[in-house]
Amino acid sequence: MFSLRSATDVTRRALSSAIVVLSVSSLVSLAYYLWDWADVILGDDTPEFDEWLALAGVLWLIVVAVTLRRLIKVHRDLAEAAQTATEAYHDAASSAQGWVWRVDPNHLYLYSNPAVEEMLGYRPGEIIGQGVFDLFFLPEDHAMIRADVDNSRMNNGWQNRQARMRHRDGSIRYVRSSATAVHDRNGKLVAYQGSTADITAEVTARMAAEAEAADQAETRDRILRALRDPDALQILFQPIYDLHTGQIAGCEALSRFAGTPYRTPDVWFAEAWQTGLGIDLELHAIDAAVRQITLLPPAAYLSVNAAPQTILDHRFAAKLAALGPAAARIVVEVTEHAAVADYDTLALAVQNLRATGVRFAVDDTGAGYASMQHVLRLRPDVIKLDRGIVAGIDQDVARQALAMAMVTFAASLGMSVVGEGIETAEELAALQEAGVRNGQGYYLGRPVPLQSPPIPVAA
């Protein structure tokens, strides 16, 4: 394959040869013709046929001269075109956004536009004469790159070849290159010329996406194993007390997962939702809790956590219906993992599930806008005050006022209030003073398995 400049040079050389041959032959012919006529003019001889033929030859030389003039003009035009093309190439290469370069067969740089400095930190003059392998490519990649280059000799170049290059500052850049082989008129390889684009951002993003996908797959496998392994999930039960009688009103089922490294339950459920297994894991935990309902004190209810998406799942309704009369001992705490897109649909599902006898609670009430939306739109049977309201309530009149307001609000709608996260006697006393009927927290009782000794009664 010839470059444009190579093809032009071949044509110019051919024209130069033709011009020289025509010029020399014309001068020789003119001298011969003049010599013939010199005898006629100087010797007063009568012109013969060959003299008249020589005169015709002189007239033909005029045509040859015109032709020579045109050939010289074409030669000059070709030279100017080649120069213009060369200048245009270098101008375009210098202003191109990508790195444009040229290397000889020994992989030494012959030309580079200024873009190399932005891409790899070197000015063009610093890399001319330098070896590609010595300067940019990583040693561990040399064998692969050399094999690709040897293969490209048969294909006259390469297209969209990806590689790694080392920046002057030592960082690694990912690049994509295309090149064309340049041959002389004898077909000998004289250079490669091409361009290189920095695709580091693209490759980094792809690698991050692949790593994230691998992490997601590993996480999903871990959760699937937990769903299959009966020993992977343990249910603990935290007592909920009647703060006026000290008796157990109910127990909240809390999940604990085995495995190394240890992951808190919120991490397990968050990962399950991220991998599309959130509903499955919640239903699995609810199953494990409901199977132990007969171990609870007879008058105590069982509180289980479920996201709106789980409540809308047909499997959840089927599980509650299968409990029969025992469903009346279930309180479903509505949690929030994602924004509720359609409250009307959720409210209708809650209303239908109440027909089984199950009651509903809104968890973490007061912690944010979403929980209050649950209260207003779902009209739960139980409101659970968030730990953020309970913590330090004995020393904060604003928290006390809010708790009393929530008790009044709940009573007006036939709801009950549970204070969560009670950790001191003072917090307990403040909640009792505010009229909160039920409470739970480490001060009253920690989560324990039902195989443990009986849950202690609050003092």
Side-chain angles (χ1 to χ4, degrees):
M1 178 184 292
F2 291 92
S3 67
L4 175 61
R5 181 62 184 264
S6 298
T8 302
D9 288 344
V10 171
T11 303
R12 288 175 58 207
R13 284 194 291 269
L15 284 174
S16 297
S17 299
I19 290 171
V20 170
V21 170
L22 285 175
S23 298
V24 172
S25 61
S26 296
L27 290 174
V28 171
S29 298
L30 179 61
Y32 177 78
Y33 298 153
L34 291 176
W35 179 264
D36 278 351
W37 275 94
D39 291 340
V40 174
I41 295 172
L42 296 176
D44 293 329
D45 293 337
T46 300
E48 297 180 1
F49 176 77
D50 58 334
E51 279 79 11
W52 289 112
L53 185 61
L55 182 60
V58 171
L59 295 177
W60 175 249
L61 288 178
I62 297 175
V63 177
V64 173
V66 172
T67 302
L68 279 173
R69 181 181 177 184
R70 290 182 178 178
L71 288 176
I72 292 171
K73 184 177 184 305
V74 171
H75 184 276
R76 186 183 301 113
D77 290 344
L78 284 174
E80 292 176 355
Q83 182 63 29
T84 300
T86 300
E87 292 175 355
Y89 169 79
H90 285 290
D91 289 342
S94 298
S95 61
Q97 293 184 350
W99 175 28
V100 179
W101 46 264
R102 185 180 179 109
V103 297
D104 68 12
N106 296 317
H107 316 302
L108 302 179
Y109 283 105
L110 301 173
Y111 169 80
S112 172
N113 73 339
V116 67
E117 184 171 7
E118 180 180 354
M119 185 178 299
L120 295 170
Y122 292 86
R123 294 187 299 275
E126 293 179 291
I127 72 169
I128 300 304
Q130 296 290 327
V132 174
F133 292 97
D134 299 330
L135 197 58
F136 293 131
F137 287 123
L138 278 62
E140 56 267 33
D141 294 345
H142 283 186
M144 177 186 66
I145 299 297
R146 288 184 185 278
D148 286 344
V149 170
D150 291 340
N151 182 61
S152 70
R153 293 177 185 272
M154 297 182 293
N155 299 321
N156 290 318
W158 60 87
Q159 293 293 322
N160 299 322
R161 185 73 50 76
Q162 292 191 21
R164 299 185 301 171
M165 286 186 164
R166 190 181 299 280
H167 191 277
R168 189 171 200 160
D169 62 13
S171 62
I172 303 301
R173 302 298 170 90
Y174 293 89
V175 300
R176 179 185 293 120
S177 299
S178 296
T180 301
V182 181
H183 298 86
D184 63 14
R185 60 180 176 177
N186 297 318
K188 180 182 178 182
L189 176 68
V190 295
Y192 287 104
Q193 60 188 24
S195 62
T196 298
D198 188 341
I199 59 170
T200 302
E202 173 188 331
V203 172
T204 301
R206 184 175 69 248
M207 292 170 63
E210 291 172 352
E212 182 179 356
D215 287 343
Q216 288 283 83
E218 181 182 353
T219 299
R220 184 178 176 86
D221 287 343
R222 181 171 58 251
I223 294 169
L224 288 172
R225 288 195 300 270
L227 292 173
R228 295 190 297 264
D229 184 358
D231 297 325
L233 172 66
Q234 180 186 25
I235 301 297
L236 303 183
F237 297 84
Q238 185 173 35
I240 301 170
Y241 287 101
D242 185 318
L243 300 184
H244 295 276
T245 67
Q247 298 300 310
I248 295 176
C251 288
E252 180 180 358
L254 301 171
S255 300
R256 297 293 184 267
F257 294 89
T260 303
Y262 173 75
R263 288 178 172 82
T264 58
D266 59 312
V267 171
W268 274 91
F269 283 105
E271 290 179 341
W273 285 107
Q274 291 169 5
T275 55
L277 294 171
I279 295 176
D280 299 84
L281 191 59
E282 284 196 350
L283 292 175
H284 181 62
I286 291 170
D287 271 341
V290 168
R291 284 197 298 268
Q292 303 180 63
I293 193 170
T294 57
L295 301 178
L296 294 177
Y301 65 82
L302 173 63
S303 184
V304 296
N305 293 277
Q309 297 93 321
T310 303
I311 294 171
L312 291 172
D313 192 281
H314 67 91
R315 292 172 293 175
F316 182 68
K319 290 180 185 298
L320 293 179
L323 291 175
R329 298 183 64 187
I330 302 296
V331 172
V332 178
E333 294 190 19
V334 184
T335 59
E336 184 64 23
H337 294 288
V340 176
D342 186 351
Y343 262 109
D344 291 336
T345 300
L346 179 60
L348 180 60
V350 168
Q351 180 180 342
N352 293 335
L353 291 171
R354 278 197 173 103
T356 65
V358 69
R359 291 177 292 161
F360 284 86
V362 170
D363 197 16
D364 302 327
T365 302
Y369 174 76
S371 63
M372 292 307 300
Q373 276 288 91
H374 284 351
V375 171
L376 296 173
R377 300 296 297 273
L378 303 181
R379 300 297 176 90
D381 304 281
V382 180
I383 293 175
K384 301 192 73 173
L385 292 182
D386 183 68
R387 166 67 185 165
I389 298 175
V390 173
I393 191 172
D394 54 300
Q395 300 176 11
D396 189 341
V397 294
R399 284 181 168 81
Q400 295 167 18
L402 178 56
M404 288 188 286
M406 292 300 295
V407 168
T408 302
F409 168 77
S412 68
L413 296 174
M415 306 173 186
S416 62
V417 177
V418 175
E420 292 188 285
I422 301 171
E423 295 186 357
T424 67
E426 291 75 17
E427 291 172 352
L428 173 61
L431 287 173
Q432 290 172 322
E433 182 67 23
V436 175
R437 181 75 187 186
N438 298 321
Q440 69 183 102
Y442 281 6
Y443 178 73
L444 301 176
R446 291 176 175 270
V448 294
L450 289 184
Q451 293 80 359
S452 297
I455 301 172
V457 177

